[in-house]
Amino acid sequence: MESLMNLYHEVMKRADPRLQGYPLMDTPLLMTSILLAYVYFVLSLGPRLMANRKPFQLRGFMVIYNFSLVALSLYIVYEVRLEGWAEPWGLSTYTWRCDPVDFSQNPEALRMVRVAWLFLFSKFIELMDTVIFILRKKDGQVTFLHVFHHSVLPWSWWWGIRVAPGGMGSFHAMVNSSVHVVMYLYYGLSALGPAAQPYLWWKKHMTAIQLIQFVLVSLHISQYYFLPSCDYQYPVIIHLIWMYGTIFFVLFSNFWYQSYTKGKRLPRAAQQNGVPKVKAN
């Protein structure tokens, strides 16, 4: 415990002071408590509360929720591209290669801090994905992959953003938010009911888009290992992003194989007006 506390204090000494005062960012205790409560609810409390109750429909809420996340994801993509990754339009301050974090008080750097926090905050909003599963008694959709993604990744992202909001590590935020625009658009349309079903033929392609996401993130971050020199300040973040990109590529490839190659797909009734079996970025 003493070693862990020493490590914690060492990390917090390096915390970016510009994030002080942002919701959830002053201490890891609040965000850790939220994630632990989330895991407890979706794996224990929620199913027990719903055991003798009829499933909630929640169609109206799901429509509003999913389309709100489409709008939020679009805004995050716009902000990240404008502040760092819009080189073709002459607006970029990034090189797409080794980009260290700008810890200055420049307006551009502060804007990246804000959008990095917003990206993290969106992950806590997305915990509602699993709560919806539980309330609708879609317990079969609460897979290991789903819970792992929604709990472990926000926890690790908190540390990365608290220490290094920006730089080459922000590329995955832009790609991930772009994928979420497509993903939550699908879920929002699906929640509209049978009338929208003929327009949802592209469900299979969402998994392909997710796989492409992991390839792009891993390839981009892998540059670090081959560049002659790189001044990115926190290499451990590079290692984590590469590791997560690789792990999720393997997990989603297995989902693709099980769902579309072997034909083990959910019954159509289980897919209607809801979210597919795996809902992750």
Side-chain angles (χ1 to χ4, degrees), residues 6 9 46 55 71 78 127 139 156 159 191 202 219 266:
N6 289 336
H9 289 302
Y78 170 78
L127 298 179
D139 295 356
S156 59
W159 295 99
W202 41 282
L219 286 176
L266 290 172

Side-chain angles (χ1 to χ4, degrees), residues 12 16-28 30-31 34 75 79 104-122 124 158 161-162 165:
M12 292 307 291
D16 192 331
R18 298 174 300 176
L19 279 161
Q20 198 71 26
Y22 276 76
L24 299 178
M25 302 308 295
D26 289 343
T27 169
L30 179 56
M31 69 91 180
I34 292 172
Y75 179 74
E79 286 290 295
S104 73
Q105 294 293 327
N106 292 333
E108 296 82 5
L110 294 176
R111 190 170 184 173
M112 181 60 81
V113 170
R114 289 193 293 270
V115 73
W117 172 83
L118 187 60
F119 173 74
L120 174 67
F121 189 71
S122 72
F124 287 88
W158 187 93
I161 289 172
R162 189 68 181 90

